Amino acid sequence: MAGAWALLETAMKTYDPANAHALVRAAAEAHRQYTAPGALTTSGFLHFIFQELDPYNRLDAALHLSPRAEWAGRVVECVRAGLGDRDFSRLIEGISDILSDLADEAEPVSVR
């Protein structure tokens, strides 16, 4: 798990250092869609993550992503493939929950 976390952390920093949670949310949603009953999984998980990372939700998202987004999506796919669906789901949902909790705990900065 430590290696998987290190890869995901690198992907988050590369994708958008100021908004790492966006990649985690995209990965979690893509995984939910990929593992949903009746999902067309023959296209592979990469198709689902690319669609989630594309701000315009185009069917051919892979052709339009920035190199950083494409690279981050491929790293997420490698982690998912290495861990398997069940462990990947636990990891990505756990990270998502932690990042949400941290965002909720952030104290507002007062401007004087």
Side-chain angles (χ1 to χ4, degrees), residues 36-76:
L40 183 60
T41 58
T42 56
S43 58
F45 177 76
L46 207 51
H47 168 76
F48 290 91
I49 188 70
F50 283 171
Q51 278 195 306
E52 287 301 314
L53 293 175
D54 181 22
Y56 304 107
N57 271 345
R58 294 171 283 215
L59 289 176
D60 57 349
L63 301 175
H64 302 286
L65 290 178
S66 70
R68 294 174 84 134
E70 182 180 350
W71 182 86
R74 290 182 185 279
V75 172
V76 169

Side-chain angles (χ1 to χ4, degrees), residues 96-110:
S96 183
D97 291 346
I98 290 168
L99 291 174
S100 292
D101 290 347
L102 289 174
D104 291 344
E105 292 176 6
E107 294 181 26
V109 177
S110 63

Side-chain angles (χ1 to χ4, degrees), residues 19-47:
N19 191 12
H21 197 205
L23 179 64
V24 174
R25 280 193 315 264
E29 182 57 31
H31 194 259
R32 284 184 212 110
Q33 291 175 15
Y34 178 71
T35 56
L40 183 60
T41 58
T42 56
S43 58
F45 177 76
L46 207 51
H47 168 76

